[in-house]
Structures are given as C-alpha cells and as structure tokens.
Amino acid sequence: MTSFDTTPQLNVWRALLALAVVFVMLATTGWTALRNQRGDTPLQASLSAWEDGRIGGHELPDPEAQPKKLARFFASLTAQDRASLVRKYPLAVGNMNGAPVELRYRANRLALEQARKVERERMHDSRLTAVGQQEAGRRMHRFEDLMEPGRHILAFDPEGSGRVAEVFGDLRGADRVSVVVPGVDTDLLTFQRTQRKYSAPVGMAESLHAAERKASPSTRTAVIAWADYTAPSGLGIDSATAMRAAEGSVRLNALVRALPGDKPVSLFCHSYGSVVCGVAARSLPAKVSDIAVAGSPGMRVEKAAQLHTSARVWAMRDSDDWIQDVPYLEVGGLGHGADPVSAAFGARVLSAQGAKGHAGYFEPGTASLMNFAEIGVGAYRSVHCAHEDGVCRTGLSGTAAA
C-alpha cells in the first residue's frame, strides 16, 4: 500500500470484504487462479548450475543449507576460490543466505551488469512493442542506478517485477540492525523514487539510518531496505489476503537468521509490510528485539500476544492516514484482523506527529521517524508515546549512549 494515499481506494477494500463469502464458495468448488508456466528463471538457472558445480574436486553445498553451514564453507575457501564462485554463479551467491555479505555485494554487482545487458538488448528488440521497449529502458536504468559506486546490494532477482535488498551502513560491524519491510506496489522500479523519496524503500532506509546516527552517534547501525519479496500489486485480492505475506514471511525469516552475529534486529513494517511481519513473527529468532508497524491494515491476529514473539510490538498511525478507514477484521481469508493501534490489541502505541498521509512515516522531522530511530538504537526510554500517560514506555529500560 506504499503508493496509495487517497480515500477512494477504500471502496476497493470494502467491496473485497463484502465479497468474502463469494470467494470462499469459489475456493471450495475448485476455483483457482491460473499461473503462467515459466521455464527456469535466471536465479533458478544459476542455482541449478551451482548444484551441478564443483570446486577443488568437491561438490558445492546445498544452496538452501543452514546459513552457518554455508558460512563455514565460504570461510574454508581461498580468496581465489571465492572469486571464482562469484564469477560463475553471481545470482546464486548474491542471494545465498550464509555467504559473506561482501561477497554478496560483489556477486550482485556482476548479476546487475548481466541483467543490464539483457535489458539494453531488449530496448532494441523489434519483436517487442514500443511499450515493452520503454519498460526495458526503465529496467536498464534502474540496474545502472543500483550499480553506482558505494551501493551495497544484498539480494537481487531480475525475474518479473523483480526483488532487491540494499544495505546502508556496515552490516558486519553494526551493533544493531534495522530492516525496513515495505508494502504494496514495491518492486525494482519503485525501489527508489525521486519524487516522494521517503515513500520508497531506499528513501525510508536512508532516512532511518541518518536518524539513528543522529539519535546515538556512538551506536554502529546498519539499515536494510528489504524489498526481497513479491509484494501485492495494487489494492486487489493479493493485498486483502495473506498469500503474499506468507511467502514474504519465509524470506524475511531467512534473511534475519542469516544476518551475521547475534546483534539485536528491529523490524520496521509499513502498510502491507506489517502483514508480512505479523505472519513472520512467531518464527523469527530471539535476536529480533522489536517489531514496529506503521499505517498497518492488521497483523493477521486480534491481539499482540497472539503473535507469539518475544519482541516488543510497537504501532503508530497518523491522524490523516486513510488506512484507518479500512475494516479491521478478517472474513473468509480477506482482511487482516484487528487494528494494531487499538487499546485492545495491546501494542505499544507511538506518536506519529508530523507524518502526513499513508506514506509519510519516514519523512525527516516527524515524530514517527524519531521514534523509529530511538527503537533502532535501543533508546526505549526516549520514545514518544501517542498518549500523554507514557504508557508505551511501561516496563522498559535501555538507553543508547549519545
């Protein structure tokens, strides 16, 4: 729901929820969505090649093995061997949880260069329509943007609308890690924006990283702009159900478990991203210390306790966010449950003063961004609650050194 700021979109939600019974009946009578039959995607092809590959006369490990096992494998290699694997299997290595982050950055740069060449050729492919050629041009320029010096791409998949994750800061040396989980209409082309910069994952993460450094200059932080799941497109069936969230939660869990070390991890989940975080919550490792949601349509539960997580659960919503008018319920699989900022839900409710609309929570100068930053550095006693009684800080300790 990142790109929607207007109340007319609510009519779509209301219609979808009103038709819940119809869809349940269709589902029980064998109605299913048709899916395109695809051959190997570039990432799948790279993984298949890896599975058939060898190095030093030995088979390569299962790319789906536990991150610690893969980390031990890469640590056992010479620098020359690691470089060879990057050249041969850039997409596989670039998306492999357990591979050293610096190696993933190098691999994804090679993968981006290969994808850029593909799109450059498609720009001049006479078999494509003019619209198709223009789309290829936009993708090519996006890949060029992601290849700029100083960018650290942790994950990249060019297939379809694409997936990507980028790191801001030193991920390996960080004391604390924050992960920004965005919502609907997030893909390669919307990963960053010039207009409305802070409504896109890159702008969100950059803004949060800067605010964290300001909140606690002595705390080493890293922020991940995580668009490495297939988000729903528009306010349709996908955004009203948990299907995309269920798929995304598996990928989010894999990311967190593969982060180096046991440093605290905070999740900042916007809009449909909060559905992803809600579905993922019970499976996340204990190093996830905080789950903060903003502009949430629900977390697929009625109470925060039902998330079954040891993490602190925070919620915020600004006064003119249209999401507040979405029906907070779940009927026949449609809708996402209770309102996370309601007293009955039981989250710690934060101030979002200064934020405007559905996509303004990461704007510099807002209380919402400041609160996110304080959570990100562990300065819990400094957060500003939505209510003057300060109840959101009850039972908390911990202040980051300034």
Side-chain angles (χ1 to χ4, degrees):
M1 300 169 194
T2 300
S3 65
F4 289 91
D5 276 317
T6 54
T7 53
Q9 303 298 334
L10 296 175
N11 293 330
V12 179
W13 273 81
R14 293 191 177 103
L16 288 170
L17 291 170
L19 289 171
V21 175
V22 176
F23 283 106
V24 170
M25 291 175 64
L26 287 170
T28 57
T29 54
W31 178 84
T32 58
L34 294 176
R35 298 183 179 275
N36 292 330
Q37 299 298 315
R38 298 173 181 263
D40 275 355
T41 67
L43 175 55
Q44 289 169 341
S46 185
L47 288 169
S48 295
W50 169 280
E51 290 171 348
D52 293 334
R54 303 177 73 86
I55 193 161
H58 300 286
E59 292 182 354
L60 298 177
D62 182 353
E64 299 295 329
Q66 290 295 318
K68 288 183 178 180
K69 179 178 180 180
L70 290 169
R72 289 194 297 270
F73 165 72
F74 281 102
S76 73
L77 301 177
T78 65
Q80 184 177 359
D81 284 342
R82 287 193 290 269
S84 175
L85 292 177
V86 166
R87 289 193 302 272
K88 290 181 180 178
Y89 318 106
L91 273 174
V93 175
N95 290 277
M96 194 172 294
N97 290 317
V101 292
E102 295 83 2
L103 208 63
R104 292 179 68 170
Y105 299 158
R106 286 165 51 192
N108 282 320
R109 185 171 182 83
L110 286 178
L112 280 161
E113 173 60 23
Q114 292 175 1
R116 187 188 71 85
K117 290 178 179 178
V118 169
E119 298 302 333
R120 186 173 60 186
E121 292 178 0
R122 293 181 70 245
M123 285 175 61
H124 306 289
D125 189 338
S126 60
R127 294 171 297 180
L128 296 180
T129 64
V131 172
Q133 291 174 338
Q134 292 170 2
E135 177 77 3
R138 285 193 293 270
R139 287 170 61 89
M140 186 195 76
H141 290 305
R142 171 60 73 240
F143 298 154
E144 289 177 342
D145 289 340
L146 295 173
M147 291 171 61
E148 289 179 356
R151 300 194 73 165
H152 299 131
I153 307 304
L154 185 66
F156 168 65
D157 182 359
E159 178 64 17
S161 59
R163 297 194 298 252
V164 63
E166 182 172 8
V167 175
F168 298 87
D170 179 3
L171 186 57
R172 185 167 293 280
D175 299 317
R176 302 182 68 95
V177 176
S178 298
V179 182
V180 174
V181 184
V184 164
D185 287 338
T186 298
D187 55 32
L188 277 168
L189 293 180
T190 61
F191 186 57
Q192 64 187 69
R193 291 190 178 102
T194 302
Q195 302 294 325
R196 299 175 64 243
K197 174 181 178 180
Y198 302 110
S199 67
V202 167
M204 292 176 176
E206 284 182 324
S207 182
L208 179 57
H209 192 223
E212 288 180 346
R213 294 200 305 273
K214 184 177 179 180
S216 180
S218 64
T219 303
R220 297 175 299 177
T221 61
V223 179
I224 302 173
W226 189 77
D228 193 26
Y229 81 106
T230 302
S233 177
L235 293 181
I237 291 295
D238 278 356
S239 63
T241 66
M243 182 181 71
R244 296 296 186 191
E247 296 168 352
S249 71
V250 174
R251 301 184 67 82
L252 180 60
N253 192 28
L255 165 82
V256 173
R257 292 182 179 278
L259 292 176
D262 293 320
K263 60 204 70 175
V265 177
S266 300
L267 305 181
F268 298 95
C269 320
H270 177 244
S271 196
Y272 189 85
S274 68
V275 186
V276 177
C277 292
V279 175
R282 69 177 59 234
S283 301
L284 293 169
K287 64 181 174 181
V288 176
S289 58
D290 300 274
I291 301 174
V293 303
S296 173
M299 300 181 74
R300 303 297 295 183
V301 293
E302 294 303 309
K303 295 182 181 295
Q306 294 171 345
L307 294 171
H308 298 292
T309 177
S310 60
R312 285 166 286 267
V313 180
W314 309 82
M316 66 169 69
R317 186 175 64 222
D318 69 64
S319 59
D320 61 352
D321 187 338
W322 59 259
I323 202 76
Q324 65 191 304
D325 295 321
V326 166
Y328 280 97
L329 48 84
E330 187 273 327
V331 179
L334 296 177
H336 300 301
D339 183 354
V341 302
S342 66
F345 188 80
R348 299 175 182 271
V349 184
L350 296 162
S351 171
Q353 186 174 358
K356 296 180 180 179
H358 185 57
Y361 295 97
F362 290 84
E363 288 278 350
T366 58
S368 52
L369 177 64
M370 180 175 64
N371 278 327
F372 282 165
E374 300 286 8
I375 292 169
V377 300
Y380 304 115
R381 296 297 298 275
S382 300
V383 299
H384 288 70
C385 302
H387 308 293
E388 293 182 1
D389 56 13
V391 68
C392 79
R393 294 190 297 271
T394 301
L396 293 181
S397 61
T399 56

